[in-house]
Amino acid sequence: MDIEQKQAEHIDYFVKQASNLKGSSLGNLVVEATSHPSLFAFSEIISVPNVLELEGTENAAFLDLLRMFAHGTWSEYKSVASRLPPLVPDQVLKLKQLTVLTLAETNKVLPYDVLIQELDVKNVRELEDFLINDCMYVGIVRGKLDQLRRCFEVQFAAGRDLRPGQLGSMIQTISDWLSTSDNLLVSIQEKIRWADNMSEMDKKHRKGVEERVEEVKKTLSFKKLQTVSRPTPSSEGMKRSFPNMV
Amino acid sequence: MASSSSSGLTFKLHPLVIVNISDHYTRIKSQSLPPSTTPHAPSASNVADAESSSPPQQSPRVFGCVIGVQRGRTVEIFNSFELLFDPLTHSLDRAFLEKKQELYKKVFPNFYILGWYSTGSDAQESDMLIHRALMDINESPVFVLLNPSINPAQKDLPVTIFESELHVIDGIPQLIFVRSGYTIETVEAERISIDHVAHLKPSDGGSAATQLAAHLTGIHSAIKMLNSRIRGLHHYLLAMQKGDVPVENSLLRQVSSLLRRLPAIESEKFQDDFLMEYNDTLLISYLAMFTNCSSTMNELVDKFNTAYDRQSRRGGRSAFI
């Protein structure tokens, strides 16, 4: 989608930078990457070998921070805030945006209360401002805000980096989708056949009715030939009364 | 007279032009029939049976101009307008052409006169005169020919585009017509209207059942296409999981955002709205059926009364006719 296109060049830039730097300078790079307003994907940066080397060193905190940005939410951060370096306001904003994306993963309808709690905002006004300015205008989410029912209906949410186990569940979802659509195709074909059968039966029925009408007409004209032979004033009356009818 | 063109120009034709030409031809043809015969002429069809009373042996030829844009080697024909042909001088009405050209220039400043059109089965000698006449407006005009006769076995459009080339024949350089290939190019609006026209008569039958079947078939093929695409994605992801394909994070992110939109029709609100609309439709068809039945019943009662009620009156009928 367009988010991916917008991000692609930033990702390339940061990956290049990361492969050139080493050690503690990577720390600065991490902070820069996580505060960048249009970058939401960090798994490419994480997979750069120089960054992975940080594991276990004194700068491991930055790697953990990167991982937090890739997979975690604001509340997760708050619970481990002591171990990780402090965040600048840009990073806080980004982490909150990513939190919205994670919430949109499980539910399509997000109640305002849950959002207020997860995002640490004080009231609905702030929440809506945050959603509109920082999520929808950036383009990572698209949806409708329903104030009466106090919920946010998500129609589209950009993808976050995948956790290691998520690929399996995605494949499962896809195969479920495939089987559902296969069943749907079969039932549509059945409906088509039903429609054709019904029209066939209807035609036969119509033909049958017309044949019976023909038969009855023939037998009636037979009878008429027999009865018309009586020469009574009634036949004259019939002729006179004819013009009055129909 | 027609060989294949070697000028290297690519032609793009818009369906609007084809519809215009066939409409012009149909109008002229139905206007030239005597008023006793019904002017029932669907577009681009040769009404052979209506010709029985006054057969125009050859169908009337209509003429007009095509306009469009020429960019480099690509000639794109967008629109067309009609012209009167003067059979005495074998030329087109020049003053009218220029006036029309001026008017079109005001609305479409980019469009130039690219050539002219006519109907018939093949290009003729006299057409070259018209072609030459247009050469002072456009140095190499195109000639679009529409063949109005319907050939059910024919698979492609009966439209040919001719260009003029200078060939040396018998030592005399002459202009002759050569055929060129063309492609059809559509704008969104044209696509919608052509689609609409194509679906007016799905098959020879028009009953409700066949229309329903046609609609369902359309949905069926659409879902089948979606199915095959998803299957392809599924294979790709499986390969990625096994490790045959290098992991591409951007694609995975897009797929995950796509899958997040499922299930698409599960929410409670949808069920409510859907059931309401379903019930409304059922109600309406029930009501219509009711009305139908009651009117049939009414007719039956009327016939019954007419037939049997007059037995008391003198001169009543003896049988129900």
Side-chain angles (χ1 to χ4, degrees), chain A residues 117-161:
Chain A
Q117 194 187 358
E118 285 283 328
L119 293 176
D120 248 353
V121 286
K122 289 192 275 303
N123 50 22
V124 176
R125 177 64 205 245
E126 268 189 40
L127 174 70
E128 288 188 344
D129 282 344
F130 172 73
L131 280 178
I132 295 176
N133 290 331
D134 301 317
C135 298
M136 299 218 227
Y137 281 172
V138 176
I140 53 175
V141 243
R142 276 201 284 271
K144 296 191 190 171
L145 294 164
D146 189 342
Q147 243 190 12
L148 182 62
R149 295 189 309 154
R150 292 176 63 92
C151 58
F152 175 44
E153 291 176 15
V154 183
Q155 281 160 359
F156 159 75
R160 285 195 75 175
D161 299 310

Side-chain angles (χ1 to χ4, degrees), chain A residues 21-156:
Chain A
L21 304 174
K22 269 181 127 24
S24 40
S25 44
L26 276 178
N28 278 339
L29 185 66
V30 167
V31 173
E32 202 188 314
T34 48
S35 2
H36 195 280
S38 333
L39 185 61
F40 295 97
F42 303 101
S43 44
E44 280 96 344
I45 305 183
I46 294 186
S47 43
V48 172
N50 291 354
V51 175
L52 285 172
E53 276 178 7
L54 281 184
E55 183 82 49
T57 70
E58 67 273 8
N59 289 320
F62 286 109
L63 184 58
D64 287 337
L65 182 68
L66 209 51
R67 285 213 183 98
M68 172 68 57
F69 267 81
H71 306 133
T73 66
W74 175 239
S75 3
E76 281 176 24
Y77 173 75
K78 277 191 292 188
S79 52
V80 292
S82 45
R83 286 198 282 122
L84 296 177
L87 294 185
V88 295
D90 280 343
Q91 289 177 308
V92 174
L93 181 65
K94 178 164 297 298
L95 196 51
K96 290 190 178 174
Q97 285 171 321
L98 294 170
T99 309
V100 172
L101 285 183
T102 312
L103 285 175
E105 258 177 54
T106 38
N107 296 327
K108 284 177 72 170
V109 176
L110 303 170
Y112 276 3
D113 302 318
V114 171
L115 281 172
I116 289 182
Q117 194 187 358
E118 285 283 328
L119 293 176
D120 248 353
V121 286
K122 289 192 275 303
N123 50 22
V124 176
R125 177 64 205 245
E126 268 189 40
L127 174 70
E128 288 188 344
D129 282 344
F130 172 73
L131 280 178
I132 295 176
N133 290 331
D134 301 317
C135 298
M136 299 218 227
Y137 281 172
V138 176
I140 53 175
V141 243
R142 276 201 284 271
K144 296 191 190 171
L145 294 164
D146 189 342
Q147 243 190 12
L148 182 62
R149 295 189 309 154
R150 292 176 63 92
C151 58
F152 175 44
E153 291 176 15
V154 183
Q155 281 160 359
F156 159 75

Side-chain angles (χ1 to χ4, degrees), chain B residues 26-287:
Chain B
T26 314
R27 258 182 293 125
I28 299 294
K29 185 158 175 112
S30 52
Q31 282 165 4
S32 65
L33 289 177
S36 54
T37 47
T38 48
H40 152 78
S43 72
S45 80
N46 219 341
V47 190
D49 41 58
E51 288 180 5
S52 52
S53 46
S54 107
Q57 245 83 21
Q58 64 196 136
S59 16
R61 285 193 84 184
V62 298
F63 295 88
C65 245
V66 296
I67 61 178
V69 181
Q70 177 160 7
R71 292 188 198 95
R73 308 301 290 167
T74 317
V75 178
E76 198 164 350
I77 304 180
F78 277 96
N79 207 343
S80 63
F81 56 87
E82 305 156 5
L83 289 173
L84 268 184
F85 179 66
D86 191 358
L88 299 172
T89 64
H90 277 284
S91 66
L92 298 173
D93 190 350
R94 196 64 194 220
F96 183 69
L97 192 152
E98 274 165 19
K99 195 162 107 144
K100 269 291 224 204
Q101 183 180 14
E102 224 183 278
L103 290 176
Y104 267 99
K105 264 289 185 200
K106 286 194 202 152
V107 184
F108 301 109
N110 293 334
F111 287 0
Y112 292 99
I113 292 198
L114 293 178
W116 60 292
Y117 70 77
S118 179
T119 54
S121 45
D122 205 356
Q124 291 161 14
E125 291 285 347
S126 50
D127 296 343
M128 191 44 88
L129 297 166
I130 311 178
H131 207 81
R132 261 188 242 271
L134 274 181
M135 268 170 142
D136 57 343
I137 306 186
N138 184 331
E139 69 233 358
S140 145
V142 303
F143 172 36
V144 181
L145 183 72
L146 176 79
N147 188 356
S149 52
I150 301 185
N151 185 359
Q154 192 180 14
K155 284 294 179 191
D156 31 299
L157 293 170
V159 175
T160 358
I161 294 197
F162 290 99
E163 280 190 284
S164 61
E165 278 189 356
L166 205 55
H167 278 219
V168 176
I169 303 178
D170 305 325
I172 314 171
Q174 271 183 11
L175 278 179
I176 61 166
F177 282 125
V178 293
R179 261 179 232 269
S180 313
Y182 60 91
T183 54
I184 299 281
E185 178 103 1
T186 42
V187 180
E188 193 67 36
E190 285 172 327
R191 202 173 300 151
I192 296 176
S193 39
I194 298 285
D195 186 64
H196 194 72
V197 169
H199 282 156
L200 275 181
K201 278 191 75 176
S203 54
D204 290 318
S207 69
T210 45
Q211 273 180 357
L212 176 66
H215 182 241
L216 283 178
T217 320
I219 296 188
H220 179 88
S221 25
I223 297 189
K224 210 154 91 162
M225 216 182 314
L226 177 69
N227 203 0
S228 64
R229 299 251 194 282
I230 304 287
R231 206 181 292 274
L233 201 58
H234 182 69
H235 280 158
Y236 189 70
L237 284 186
L238 275 175
M240 207 185 275
Q241 190 182 43
K242 268 191 290 191
D244 297 336
V245 182
V247 174
E248 199 190 316
N249 280 308
S250 149
L251 181 72
L252 288 176
R253 278 195 291 271
Q254 288 179 13
V255 172
S256 78
S257 92
L258 178 69
L259 290 180
R260 231 141 328 129
R261 300 186 71 163
L262 300 174
I265 342 183
E266 275 295 311
S267 72
E268 202 184 291
K269 241 181 97 201
F270 174 79
Q271 290 281 24
D272 288 342
D273 290 340
F274 176 65
L275 283 178
M276 253 196 342
E277 205 174 310
Y278 185 54
N279 285 332
D280 283 344
T281 322
L282 285 181
L283 198 65
I284 297 288
S285 26
Y286 192 39
L287 196 63

